[in-house]
Amino acid sequence: PWSDHFEYNVLTSVDFVLLISTVNFGDLGPRSSVNTTDSSFSAIEISNNGNVPITIDINATPFFNSTNSEIPGNYSFMIAEKEAESYLSALTNWTNMSESEVESIVQLYHVNGSNSANEAILHLLVVVPSEEKPGAKNSQITISGIMS
C-alpha cells in the first residue's frame, strides 16, 4: 500500500525588514559633510528574515534642490557587514545615490544551519552644496529585494 514515489515542495520566502529605517542628520550648513559611519548617527540596517539569499537594489529621490559639480557625491551610500560574512558581495565604497535602481548587495544570506549572519548596514553620506537654499530636506530611499 505504500508508494515508492515521494514528493514534497519547499516554499521560498523573500522577506527582509529594516531594523533601523530613518536617519536624521539635523541642521547642516553649506558644505557641511556628515555620514553614518560616524557613531553620532544611526545607519539603516537590513535583515534578511526569509529562507533564501536575496539581492538588494537601492534607489532614492534627490536629497538636494541644487547640484554642484565641484562636490561630487553629495548624496552617497555604501554597504557594510553588520555581521561577518553576511553577504557574497556588496558596494562597499561610497556610491552616488541614484533615482535608478542600483544592485547593492548580492546574496544577503539567510539564517540556516550553517550560517547565522543575515544583516547588513546601509551607510549614508551627505555633503551640502554651497548654493543649496536653507530649509528641510529629505529623500525617500527604496530598497527592494529578490531571490538571488
Side-chain angles (χ1 to χ4, degrees):
W2 295 100
S3 169
D4 289 337
H5 178 74
F6 296 97
E7 190 173 310
Y8 62 93
N9 294 317
V10 176
L11 299 177
T12 59
S13 172
V14 174
D15 177 20
F16 67 95
V17 296
L18 301 180
L19 303 173
I20 296 176
S21 61
T22 303
V23 177
N24 184 345
F25 289 115
D27 295 333
L28 302 172
R31 296 191 184 259
S32 295
S33 176
V34 293
N35 70 73
T36 58
T37 62
D38 178 339
S39 62
S40 303
F41 304 103
S42 296
I44 295 171
E45 295 183 8
I46 305 166
S47 176
N48 181 358
N49 291 346
N51 64 1
V52 292
I54 57 177
T55 294
I56 298 288
D57 291 345
I58 296 172
N59 65 299
T61 58
F63 196 86
F64 299 109
N65 298 323
S66 62
T67 58
N68 183 343
S69 60
E70 296 172 25
I71 307 175
N74 62 359
Y75 184 32
S76 303
F77 74 95
M78 73 174 179
I79 305 297
E81 290 179 324
K82 182 174 178 188
E83 304 163 310
E85 300 180 17
S86 59
Y87 50 73
L88 178 64
S89 66
L91 296 176
T92 56
N93 294 316
W94 291 116
T95 303
N96 287 332
M97 192 63 87
S98 171
E99 290 185 75
S100 302
E101 285 188 350
V102 175
E103 185 176 270
S104 305
I105 304 174
V106 175
Q107 290 193 12
L108 177 58
Y109 299 125
H110 61 291
V111 174
N112 61 37
S114 63
N115 176 44
S116 62
N118 67 324
E119 297 177 4
I121 298 170
L122 170 61
H123 283 295
L124 300 175
L125 165 68
V126 172
V127 180
V128 181
S130 58
E131 69 277 2
E132 184 70 16
K133 303 265 189 264
K137 309 293 179 204
N138 61 58
S139 171
Q140 179 174 331
I141 300 171
T142 302
I143 300 172
S144 56
I146 59 169
M147 184 172 72
S148 294

